[in-house]
Amino acid sequence: MRKLSVLILLCLLYSLNQSGQTYNNLSDLSIEKIMKGEDFVGYLPKDIRWSEDSKTIFFTWNPRMEKVRDVYQAGIHDLNIKPVTVEVQKQLPVKGEYNAQRTKKTYSRFGDIFLYDLNKNTEIKITSTLEVETNPTFSQNDTKIVYQKENNLYSWDITSGTTVQLTNFNSGSEKSDKDKPEYEQWLEKDQLAHFEIIKERKEISEIQEKRNKLLEPKRPKAFYLDGQQIFNIQINPDATFVTFILNTSTAENKNTKVPSYVTRSGYTEDIPAREKVGTSQDKYKFYIYNIEADTVYTFKSEKIEGIYDKPEFLKEYDTTSGGCGDQFENPRDIFIHGPYYSENGAALIEAKSMDGKDRWILLLQLETGEPVLLERQHDEAWIGGPGISGWKSVPGNMGWIDNNTVWFQSEQTGYSHLYTCSIPDKKKTALTSGSFEILDVTLSHNKKTFYITSNRESPFEHHFYHLPANGGEMKKITSMAGNNEVTVSPDEKFLAIRYSNSNTPWELYILPNKAGETEKRISHSLSSEFKAYPWREPEIIQFKASDGVPVPARIYIPEENVKNGAAVIFVHGAGYLQNVHRWWSDYYREYMFHNFLCDNGYTVLDIDYRGSEGYGRDWRTAIYRHMGGRDLNDQVDGAKYLVERYGINKDKIGIYGGSYGGFITLMALFTKPGTFRCGAALRSVVDWAHYNHPYTVNILNTPVEDSIAYYRSSPLYYAEGLQDNLLMLHGVIDTNVQFQDIVRLSQRLIELGKNNWELALFPLEDHGFKEASSWTDEYKRIYKLFQENLIDKKE
């Protein structure tokens, strides 16, 4: 009977463990609670914007814990918060363009064009149609507004109200008699040869057509798209040139489909999804339309310096005698951003090579289509970093200070910094320098001051600074330690700040836009349940990696009386992301889970491994051509550090992470057996050849061109190395890291005869889980994995 009672007690304790209850009763924290997300924490303010008069801050919020967020407002003087009515929401300010004096603003709302007078506080509706009009801008000394409707530009005269069509882009192809089938051409020729009346009528028709054309007003040149897509249609300030890009889709591209099994219809439905890396990419060609000459010509990309250069990695595959040369026969494909126009009409553009190796800052000669080089940024890994962006379709930060000076960001020193270039002599000047990064930059309205977000204070904090446009001292404006996300008011006198620190979620503050002032808090968003728990502020530490480099990490240390000698290493996702910092993490559920683990005796280490954001170019590109190399070694070195510094039992270390973190977890268990007793891999990349093109091609090139990089970086090829216990968790309708990935790995593990793995599926979840029930189930399983393998496991 006594043995039976003990058995019942053990079963009860095990059942409590599975339900997510804490072992040590240190708090009421449970997995069910923390996985409710904002329903537990509170809904934090976001989507910050200002009224045009700079007197009111608008933001989305949900203090009443309703099903969806709503819009709220707060005045800058009384700071009182109140909900915004639907009628007011219809009139909320949107992004737009200002005239030179900043007295008027034009914008598109719900597909119509508006003109707002800031002095009179009046709004004119320029268009009111069922068609969609977008992208309005001031033109010709602010006397006209140019906007886009479908594929064409139109000009609206502010004084007279007259509308003129500026371009004539047509879908399809231009038709001519030569397009007729040969037999139809023969028949018509034969008819004209034998019937005089038909011939005469044709001649009369042609004469009348010529006369009618002479009577027609001048219209813009017809340009036929021939099945191509047109975008980025822009006009220069004096309305003499139009630039545009034509996109030619590759017919042989095959996009993926993601089956959804639990649907409203009851039928399995396919979700259209992305392509895979290495598929043929669309071609983009930049054109210039000279309105006065009524001619269209292409940008001369072949004249860009270095456009024919081959990347270094190709030499590894060149087995021909004497090599195949350092240059391609044809210029590399590029993507162009801009033009950005100076006050005197000079055109500045940014070109990015589609292979990710180059970024050029260029002047565009509109009359000829030729480039003038101001700056070439080249990286044999890939161009990227704050204010530069590794995404080809995302422009880097750049612009004009005056008619003779442009500004941009560059990683020339190994960190992203701010530079200017003098147009007359092409002289480049660094405005900032040091072992920190300029994260974001805008230029003040009067072009005298740069507004900068930077981690100069510390890699683990973000602050807002002022910097004179001609160089000088960076003056810190914000004072609260953590992350300060700043939205500047239209009159530039105030800052709306979303602020958080390590253990306090985001709240809304206001601050005068000058040094020495004190922030005032506006919002109070946290639930009483969340505030009742003493959330830890993890210590930021550094440990020395096996290559001698200091690696930053956050560590969560349990109280002495509950320490169990076990540890968990968390691997953040995205690769290029920072999670070692002093602000409220995007991984806030994981942060709360780490507090839960600490309550139950675990030490938790959260590493900003090689490839993470915030530490400069060399850290960013350390994973080039080998994901699962140096980034994985940082996790292994972290495990060793836990044993040596914190006395963790080397046989009681687990690892987990999602997306890129799931990938690292798989690589750890497959290639470093014995380092981690167990691991949980969430929504994991299994084979990089099956991931998307824009992200993967930067780091690993393409599978056809660089198969070596893909082989050494993909867990699928190393699955035979699995010895420790593996839990895999994946959303079935994941359109990013697709469910097919984990199914392929499961089949591989089955064929290898591995039996120390499990797979949990979540039928209604995409890459980022939405439902609290899914989050709860997922993390209960992860906790169970750690308990069974690190605590309950017999030695």
Side-chain angles (χ1 to χ4, degrees):
M1 177 65 74
R2 183 178 179 183
K3 289 183 179 180
L4 180 61
S5 298
V6 171
L7 180 61
I8 292 172
L9 178 60
L10 288 173
C11 289
L12 178 61
L13 288 173
Y14 181 79
S15 176
L16 286 172
N17 172 29
Q18 303 316 299
S19 66
Q21 301 298 315
T22 60
Y23 270 69
N24 302 292
N25 296 318
L26 291 180
S27 72
D28 291 329
L29 201 63
S30 68
I31 291 177
E32 288 89 345
K33 284 183 180 179
I34 60 182
M35 292 304 152
K36 289 180 180 178
E38 287 189 312
D39 284 336
F40 171 62
V41 175
Y43 285 79
L44 314 179
K46 62 181 184 179
D47 306 318
I48 314 300
R49 50 183 161 168
W50 285 89
S51 62
E52 288 296 345
D53 62 7
S54 300
K55 294 179 180 179
T56 307
I57 302 171
F58 298 98
F59 56 98
T60 61
W61 203 34
N62 188 12
R64 300 168 184 168
M65 297 290 189
E66 297 176 346
K67 289 188 176 182
V68 295
R69 288 174 166 268
D70 211 338
V71 180
Y72 287 77
Q73 68 179 52
I76 64 171
H77 299 300
D78 59 22
L79 305 185
N80 290 332
I81 298 177
K82 61 182 180 180
V84 178
T85 65
V86 173
E87 289 305 312
V88 173
Q89 287 186 42
K90 291 179 181 179
Q91 304 300 318
L92 284 181
V94 294
K95 290 183 178 180
E97 295 285 334
Y98 292 89
N99 64 354
Q101 291 75 34
R102 294 190 69 85
T103 57
K104 291 182 172 64
K105 178 183 177 182
T106 183
Y107 46 87
S108 174
R109 182 194 288 130
F110 302 120
D112 292 317
I113 305 299
F114 293 82
L115 176 63
Y116 180 77
D117 190 310
L118 278 74
N119 293 330
K120 298 178 181 179
N121 192 28
T122 57
E123 183 181 73
I124 298 174
K125 195 172 190 178
I126 298 172
T127 66
S128 182
T129 70
L130 295 179
E131 296 173 299
V132 176
E133 293 96 14
T134 58
N135 304 324
T137 185
F138 287 94
S139 179
Q140 293 175 273
N141 294 319
D142 297 337
T143 62
K144 298 179 181 180
I145 291 175
V146 175
Y147 61 90
Q148 183 176 340
K149 181 168 66 173
E150 293 184 338
N151 287 334
N152 283 294
L153 294 185
Y154 295 79
S155 174
W156 180 77
D157 191 294
I158 295 175
T159 303
S160 68
T162 303
T163 299
V164 176
Q165 183 169 339
L166 300 175
T167 61
N168 187 16
F169 297 123
N170 296 273
S171 59
S173 304
E174 185 175 9
K175 300 296 182 181
S176 70
D177 288 342
K178 293 181 180 179
D179 295 327
K180 293 180 181 179
E182 190 174 357
Y183 76 92
E184 288 187 12
Q185 294 182 46
W186 183 90
L187 283 174
E188 181 176 334
K189 185 177 179 181
D190 187 64
Q191 292 292 95
L192 292 171
H194 291 89
F195 300 98
E196 287 297 326
I197 292 177
I198 292 177
K199 181 179 178 182
E200 184 178 355
R201 288 177 179 178
K202 178 177 182 292
E203 292 172 352
I204 292 172
S205 175
E206 289 174 346
I207 292 170
Q208 190 63 51
E209 186 177 349
K210 288 180 180 179
R211 288 183 178 180
N212 289 340
K213 284 186 177 181
L214 291 173
L215 296 173
E216 290 178 358
K218 185 179 180 181
R219 303 294 189 187
K221 181 182 181 67
F223 185 91
Y224 292 88
L225 303 182
D226 291 325
Q228 301 173 98
Q229 292 181 316
I230 187 171
F231 65 98
N232 192 27
I233 309 172
Q234 295 194 42
I235 193 164
N236 70 327
D238 61 5
T240 54
F241 292 92
V242 171
T243 58
F244 59 96
I245 295 176
L246 289 186
N247 170 24
T248 303
S249 296
T250 307
E252 62 266 25
N253 269 6
K254 185 176 182 179
N255 285 356
T256 56
K257 295 179 181 179
V258 175
S260 178
Y261 298 98
V262 183
T263 64
R264 186 185 302 178
S265 69
Y267 291 90
T268 299
E269 298 173 2
D270 285 336
I271 302 172
R274 57 168 173 78
E275 61 194 7
K276 296 190 179 186
V277 63
T279 56
S280 297
Q281 296 300 293
D282 291 357
K283 305 292 184 181
Y284 302 95
K285 186 169 284 190
F286 189 86
Y287 288 84
I288 302 160
Y289 170 39
N290 185 323
I291 295 176
E292 293 180 352
D294 205 23
T295 58
V296 176
Y297 41 94
T298 59
F299 170 66
K300 295 179 171 57
S301 64
E302 69 276 8
K303 294 193 175 183
I304 298 176
E305 177 185 301
I307 194 68
Y308 293 91
D309 292 355
K310 286 184 177 179
E312 287 292 323
F313 80 89
L314 289 176
K315 294 179 180 178
E316 191 169 334
Y317 297 91
D318 183 13
T319 58
T320 60
S321 176
C324 59
D326 295 328
Q327 293 198 320
F328 294 109
E329 291 184 7
N330 298 310
R332 287 178 287 157
D333 292 331
I334 59 173
F335 194 99
I336 290 181
H337 296 282
Y340 309 99
Y341 290 101
S342 66
E343 290 180 0
N344 65 0
L348 179 70
I349 61 172
E350 173 192 40
K352 290 184 174 182
S353 64
M354 296 302 287
D355 64 8
K357 310 300 182 187
D358 283 280
R359 177 194 186 212
W360 295 273
I361 312 296
L362 305 162
L363 289 179
L364 169 62
Q365 302 296 312
L366 291 168
E367 297 82 1
T368 63
E370 295 190 358
V372 176
L373 181 66
L374 299 178
E375 160 86 350
R376 180 188 180 187
Q377 299 173 11
H378 176 78
D379 197 315
E380 280 298 335
W382 75 95
I383 288 290
I388 299 165
S389 182
W391 304 101
K392 285 78 171 180
S393 60
V394 177
N397 290 335
M398 56 187 291
W400 293 89
I401 295 177
D402 55 44
N403 288 329
N404 292 310
T405 313
V406 299
W407 65 271
F408 52 85
Q409 286 181 248
S410 169
E411 281 189 317
Q412 178 179 319
T413 64
Y415 294 86
S416 182
H417 281 290
L418 181 59
Y419 295 82
T420 61
C421 180
S422 169
I423 301 299
D425 58 9
K426 311 298 186 295
K427 181 181 179 182
K428 180 178 170 182
T429 303
L431 298 187
T432 62
S433 62
S435 299
F436 62 91
E437 302 223 274
I438 302 301
L439 304 172
D440 197 18
V441 185
T442 57
L443 191 58
S444 64
H445 301 330
N446 62 14
K447 298 191 175 184
K448 293 182 178 180
T449 304
F450 283 110
Y451 297 142
I452 291 175
T453 299
S454 175
N455 61 3
R456 188 182 77 163
E457 186 91 355
S458 160
F460 317 117
E461 294 183 18
H462 290 178
H463 284 280
F464 186 75
Y465 297 83
H466 287 182
L467 174 70
N470 58 359
E473 178 188 357
M474 282 178 64
K475 184 180 295 183
K476 193 171 86 165
I477 307 301
T478 52
S479 62
M480 298 183 291
N483 192 346
N484 297 266
E485 293 183 355
V486 170
T487 305
V488 182
S489 64
D491 65 7
E492 300 185 326
K493 294 180 180 179
F494 288 93
L495 310 176
I497 303 173
R498 232 173 61 105
Y499 166 78
S500 71
N501 59 37
S502 299
N503 58 0
T504 306
W506 300 97
E507 296 287 7
L508 183 60
Y509 291 76
I510 188 170
L511 177 70
N513 189 15
K514 53 185 177 180
E517 299 289 334
T518 301
E519 295 88 347
K520 292 182 180 179
R521 184 169 173 176
I522 297 176
S523 66
H524 297 268
S525 310
L526 305 181
S527 70
S528 57
E529 194 172 22
F530 176 84
K531 290 189 291 185
Y533 180 83
W535 299 101
R536 293 168 175 82
E537 184 176 351
E539 179 187 359
I540 294 179
I541 54 97
Q542 288 187 328
F543 63 87
K544 186 172 289 189
S546 52
D547 62 352
V549 175
V551 178
R554 297 200 298 186
I555 192 161
Y556 301 73
I557 303 175
E559 299 294 332
E560 283 293 332
N561 63 323
V562 298
K563 283 185 177 179
N564 57 22
V568 170
I569 288 180
F570 170 66
V571 190
H572 70 69
Y576 192 59
L577 178 146
Q578 184 176 4
N579 204 46
V580 176
H581 49 56
R582 296 192 179 99
W583 62 83
W584 190 244
S585 177
D586 289 341
Y587 290 96
Y588 70 95
R589 286 184 178 87
E590 289 80 354
Y591 164 81
M592 294 189 290
F593 181 61
H594 298 162
N595 277 266
F596 172 82
L597 289 175
C598 270
D599 283 353
N600 289 279
Y602 291 86
T603 299
V604 181
L605 191 65
D606 172 5
I607 302 170
D608 266 353
Y609 51 86
R610 245 63 72 92
S612 297
E613 183 181 13
Y615 307 97
R617 181 265 171 196
D618 290 349
W619 203 266
R620 176 178 68 81
T621 62
I623 59 173
Y624 178 58
R625 300 188 70 214
H626 192 184
M627 293 191 275
R630 193 62 260 175
D631 46 1
L632 172 58
N633 290 338
D634 288 344
Q635 318 300 327
V636 174
D637 294 338
K640 182 180 179 182
Y641 171 76
L642 287 170
V643 173
E644 295 175 352
R645 173 67 176 81
Y646 293 95
I648 298 299
N649 185 328
K650 68 179 181 63
D651 296 321
K652 289 187 173 185
I653 302 176
I655 186 171
Y656 89 103
S659 196
Y660 198 96
F663 151 72
I664 287 291
T665 298
L666 293 176
M667 289 295 274
L669 268 61
F670 293 173
T671 68
K672 306 290 182 181
T675 303
F676 302 99
R677 179 60 65 90
C678 61
L682 296 64
R683 49 195 178 275
S684 315
V685 177
V686 168
D687 183 351
W688 287 108
H690 288 254
Y691 195 51
N692 71 44
H693 186 89
Y695 176 89
T696 318
V697 74
N698 277 344
I699 305 171
L700 300 180
N701 304 304
T702 68
V704 172
E705 291 177 314
D706 202 355
S707 58
I708 293 172
Y710 281 82
Y711 178 81
R712 63 187 172 205
S713 299
S714 296
L716 186 72
Y717 300 117
Y718 302 98
E720 67 276 8
L722 178 63
Q723 297 179 15
D724 304 293
N725 292 299
L726 169 64
L727 170 64
M728 301 183 296
L729 310 104
H730 215 108
V732 173
I733 56 173
D734 190 334
T735 57
N736 182 16
V737 180
Q738 295 173 3
F739 181 54
Q740 182 195 28
D741 252 32
I742 213 68
V743 173
R744 293 175 68 236
L745 178 58
S746 298
Q747 180 61 29
R748 179 71 178 139
L749 293 171
I750 291 169
E751 292 180 6
L752 289 168
K754 302 292 183 180
N755 53 25
N756 53 338
W757 62 279
E758 292 182 357
L759 174 61
L761 308 180
F762 299 86
L764 286 175
E765 296 294 354
D766 201 334
H767 194 61
F769 281 18
K770 292 183 178 179
E771 304 302 327
S773 57
S774 300
W775 281 102
T776 300
D777 185 271
E778 183 178 47
Y779 274 80
K780 278 185 178 181
R781 293 176 188 275
I782 295 169
Y783 184 55
K784 177 184 176 182
L785 176 78
F786 293 150
Q787 286 293 116
E788 291 183 345
N789 288 278
L790 306 182
I791 305 303
D792 299 337
K793 193 173 182 66
K794 301 295 183 182
E795 299 295 338

